[in-house]
Amino acid sequence: MVVYGATPAGIAAALNAAEADRSVWLVEPTGQIGGMTTHGLSHSDFHSFEALNGPFLDFSQRVLQHYRETDGEESEQVKDSWRGTHGEPSVNLLVFEKMLAEAPTISVLTNHRLLEVDVEESAIAALHFAIPGSTPITVKPPMVIDASYEGDLLAAANVPYRVGREARSEYGESLAPETADDQLQGYNFRLCMTQNESNRVPIPVPENYNREDYAAIIPLVKSGQFDAAFGYPGRRFILKAHLPVMPNGKHDINDVSKGLVRLSLPGHNRDYPEGDVATRRRIEKKHLDWQLGLMHFVQTDPELPDAFREAARTWGLCRDEFADSGHIPPQIYVREARRMVGQRVYTESDTQYAPDDARARLHPDAIAIGEYSHNCHGTDHAGPLIGGRHTGEFYKGVAPYQIPYGVLVPKTMRNLLVPTACSASHVGFCALRLEPIWMSLGGAAGYAADLALTENVRVQEIDVEALKRRVWSRGGATIHVSDVRPGHPDFVAVQWWGSLGGLHGIEPAPEKSGARGKHIVSQYFEAFPGHAARLDQPLDNALTTRWNQLARRHGLSVPATSGTRGDWIRAAFAAANQ
């Protein structure tokens, strides 16, 4: 099979397909694998460690092990890796490369850009790739996964997709605009920076730099709107240096949500999804020039206070990152491009709370979970670039949510799966567009592709129950259970029972929607309330009755006796698998 796009989702898809000894071409149009995880996005987007599972958990554990072996168990690097979830870009790349090298049936092909797709009888028949300096090549795979951020392959195959926002009335979404438009979430580069003088490289000055583009920052600084150029949550800063700090004193620099000065430029990226290579390079350059010019301004402009400029000058690019591209990641952060219109469109309602429940609505056909939020950095801008505001911006906290198989599946194309540019509304996509979630979707797509080939069926016809069991067998979750994590002896049994609805209706809805556990730092929290199975807790009469009724509804035998919740689930699971 062919996986197009060596993003984290694409890598997860290739690795999972290779588990069954499938021959996989992992094809990447650029010169480096790993997508944003190796291009500066080291501040992983999740909220609680208890929710980590599947491919991203495996990857982060390997990153942690790298630091243990390289720097020692008690090293600062191990501590700063945040349990392996905050690796340096170069380390993330090294770990991905090692994971792929362990799979002998995977061939990684970089700098292979898709030219054309041949479709016959609702199936992809051939893929044509361009290689710099060489003759284009053609491959005829029985199964294809489009794991690109842009959805380039699905578009070339004429699979239906959307670019932009749906009207509020289309799916009844409170976060959607009144009318549909072509706006999409803003992009920016995720620069890796440091204050470590021995590893610090100066910010390059763009050729077209014009200080007047940034001069409006001066009165904002002098009036106290900003007290620092670079800062952490809790201060008045222009450029967000994410917490926690990465190993070896590195920082992931990002756009400041709802700020008066932004790195993202929504509106200037609208031609990107459908653009050719030249168009995309032009848009990327505009974004990079804006960011580098902004950093140069805050470090050097003589009208800024001396102390402000001096503090800003302590920051620079990392000498030991992206050495082949001027210490700047070659890839821009494409938060949203094309979105397939598939078998199942994920919307805002899919993350809503179930009635009177701590949990989000039940999806029995879920093959992955998310727990971040509906998160959009803005889709347009009102007013001046400095001092104006992004529009279309929202951040809606929700309970951990399930993601059904249908978001990966085209309506008719029988040998294609799409884990990144997956089937969702603009609002729904803003809850799915995080790398840990994309990795889960990619991993599920890899297993689904193997099942379709094994059963000789269309991707629309695979046995989703069999897919779920394969996901569970490798520590992937289809429902969030905070106290029964991957590796727990009852993990699969609890996932099975939760997928049938057994864990819904146990805990009441929180007083505040989107409630999280105790705050740790930045966006990280302790376990979500109301999501523990509490297997050691005695099984009371009311829950016994409810579970027995649910079991009978699914044609399952009811355990004769059970002292605890765990006893009942284990007995029911064993009986169902006899």
Side-chain angles (χ1 to χ4, degrees):
M1 69 179 70
V2 167
V3 178
Y4 186 61
T7 58
I11 292 171
L15 289 169
N16 283 6
E19 282 185 12
D21 291 328
R22 296 288 177 192
S23 176
V24 183
W25 275 20
L26 178 59
V27 182
E28 168 58 35
T30 73
Q32 180 171 303
I33 68 165
M36 287 308 300
T37 303
T38 65
H39 284 82
L41 200 166
S42 294
H43 183 77
S44 302
D45 287 319
F46 66 92
H47 284 313
S48 77
F49 286 107
E50 291 80 6
L52 297 183
N53 70 97
F56 181 77
L57 177 59
D58 182 28
F59 167 72
S60 62
Q61 288 175 334
R62 287 171 178 257
V63 171
L64 177 61
Q65 187 60 27
H66 168 87
Y67 285 114
R68 285 171 170 163
E69 293 174 355
T70 304
D71 301 293
E73 181 67 44
E74 303 301 321
S75 65
E76 286 299 309
Q77 287 86 346
V78 165
K79 176 184 175 182
D80 291 342
S81 75
W82 203 239
R83 304 190 198 180
T85 63
H86 281 56
E88 301 157 84
S90 54
V91 170
N92 290 341
L93 175 60
L94 179 65
V95 170
F96 274 140
E97 289 175 338
K98 287 183 176 179
M99 293 172 74
L100 290 167
E102 293 169 5
T105 62
I106 297 177
S107 299
V108 180
L109 294 84
T110 56
N111 292 309
H112 282 54
R113 182 172 54 83
L114 183 70
L115 285 177
E116 191 178 1
V117 177
D118 296 340
V119 175
E120 297 176 4
E121 298 178 352
S122 297
I124 291 173
L127 304 172
H128 306 274
F129 295 105
I131 311 166
S134 300
T135 303
I137 62 170
T138 297
V139 61
K140 299 179 179 181
M143 187 63 59
V144 179
I145 296 172
D146 182 356
S148 67
Y149 291 123
E150 298 85 357
D152 284 341
L153 193 151
L154 74 89
N158 291 319
V159 172
Y161 63 87
R162 298 283 287 266
V163 176
R165 305 187 297 175
E166 294 84 357
R168 183 171 301 176
S169 59
E170 184 164 351
Y171 297 114
E173 297 174 303
S174 67
L175 298 174
E178 288 296 331
T179 58
D181 56 40
D182 65 348
Q183 296 182 20
L184 64 154
Q185 187 163 183
Y187 304 169
N188 60 266
F189 282 82
R190 297 289 286 259
L191 300 183
C192 185
M193 300 185 70
T194 186
Q195 292 177 285
N196 184 339
E197 188 173 358
S198 64
N199 195 36
R200 191 176 66 205
V201 176
I203 302 294
V205 185
E207 293 179 2
N208 61 352
Y209 174 74
N210 180 0
R211 74 171 294 274
E212 294 306 313
D213 292 340
Y214 310 98
I217 290 174
I218 296 167
L220 295 176
V221 172
K222 291 183 175 180
S223 66
Q225 294 280 350
F226 299 117
D227 59 17
F230 296 85
Y232 312 107
R235 292 193 64 187
R236 300 187 302 277
F237 53 85
I238 296 173
L239 299 149
K240 182 191 292 184
H242 273 300
L243 290 177
V245 178
M246 273 188 281
N248 297 308
K250 297 176 184 177
H251 302 258
D252 177 345
I253 306 299
N254 196 16
D255 188 42
V256 177
S257 300
K258 299 184 178 180
L260 294 174
V261 180
R262 304 297 292 264
L263 294 184
S264 59
L265 296 172
H268 295 272
N269 59 344
R270 290 185 196 171
D271 291 336
Y272 187 96
E274 305 278 26
D276 59 15
V277 173
T279 298
R280 290 179 177 179
R281 296 298 91 83
R282 173 179 55 78
I283 292 170
E284 290 165 357
K285 184 177 186 303
K286 182 178 184 64
H287 283 72
L288 185 60
D289 285 351
W290 171 257
Q291 289 186 222
L292 296 180
L294 171 61
M295 292 179 181
H296 177 70
F297 180 86
V298 298
Q299 290 183 334
T300 64
D301 196 84
E303 290 195 41
L304 289 170
D306 291 345
F308 184 93
R309 282 185 287 112
E310 289 168 5
R313 283 199 298 269
T314 66
W315 291 83
L317 301 174
C318 297
R319 188 182 306 278
D320 59 353
E321 298 286 351
F322 310 112
D324 295 335
S325 54
H327 311 289
I328 294 169
Q331 195 166 128
I332 195 170
Y333 186 11
V334 177
R335 290 186 172 95
E336 179 186 21
R338 298 184 182 95
R339 304 185 309 277
M340 178 175 68
V341 179
Q343 196 176 53
R344 175 73 158 76
V345 178
Y346 202 80
T347 70
E348 184 178 359
S349 67
D350 288 307
T351 65
Q352 290 179 349
Y353 283 90
D356 302 317
D357 202 333
R359 293 184 172 276
R361 60 177 291 192
L362 176 68
H363 290 292
D365 57 344
I367 43 78
I369 65 167
E371 50 82 82
Y372 199 65
S373 63
H374 292 274
N375 179 288
C376 182
H377 278 240
T379 61
D380 206 350
H381 190 84
L385 277 178
I386 304 295
R389 64 181 183 87
H390 281 7
T391 60
E393 189 168 11
F394 56 74
Y395 306 94
K396 178 186 176 183
V398 293
Y401 38 99
Q402 297 177 284
I403 307 167
Y405 174 62
V407 306
L408 306 177
V409 184
K411 290 181 178 179
T412 59
M413 194 69 68
R414 56 188 173 88
N415 65 339
L416 173 68
L417 292 162
V418 182
T420 39
C422 57
S423 181
S425 68
H426 163 73
V427 175
F429 191 80
C430 288
L432 302 182
R433 61 162 196 87
L434 300 318
E435 297 291 359
I437 299 173
W438 271 335
M439 286 192 77
S440 292
L441 295 177
Y447 286 143
D450 174 62
L451 284 171
L453 291 172
T454 299
E455 299 169 4
N456 193 27
V457 298
R458 304 186 310 149
V459 293
Q460 293 84 0
E461 299 169 342
I462 69 157
D463 183 347
V464 177
E465 292 302 313
L467 172 58
K468 287 156 58 176
R469 286 178 179 267
R470 191 175 291 189
V471 168
W472 299 334
S473 72
R474 289 304 306 270
T478 62
I479 189 168
H480 175 49
V481 186
S482 60
D483 60 344
V484 184
R485 301 182 63 194
H488 190 287
D490 295 319
F491 176 77
V492 174
V494 170
Q495 287 291 311
W496 165 80
W497 186 233
S499 76
L500 296 176
L503 301 181
H504 276 72
I506 295 178
E507 299 287 344
E511 293 183 5
K512 181 181 178 182
S513 294
R516 300 169 188 157
K518 182 181 178 182
H519 186 233
I520 302 174
V521 65
S522 186
Q523 64 188 35
Y524 303 104
F525 298 79
E526 294 181 359
F528 280 84
H531 285 73
R534 300 177 184 175
L535 299 182
D536 295 333
Q537 186 168 315
L539 191 63
D540 59 39
N541 291 334
L543 191 54
T544 300
T545 299
R546 184 174 178 279
W547 279 6
N548 287 350
Q549 290 174 345
L550 182 62
R552 293 190 184 100
R553 240 185 354 257
H554 286 284
L556 303 170
S557 59
V558 174
T561 58
S562 52
T564 66
R565 293 179 177 184
D567 292 338
W568 193 100
I569 293 174
R570 284 185 286 270
F573 182 68
N577 286 276
Q578 285 181 348

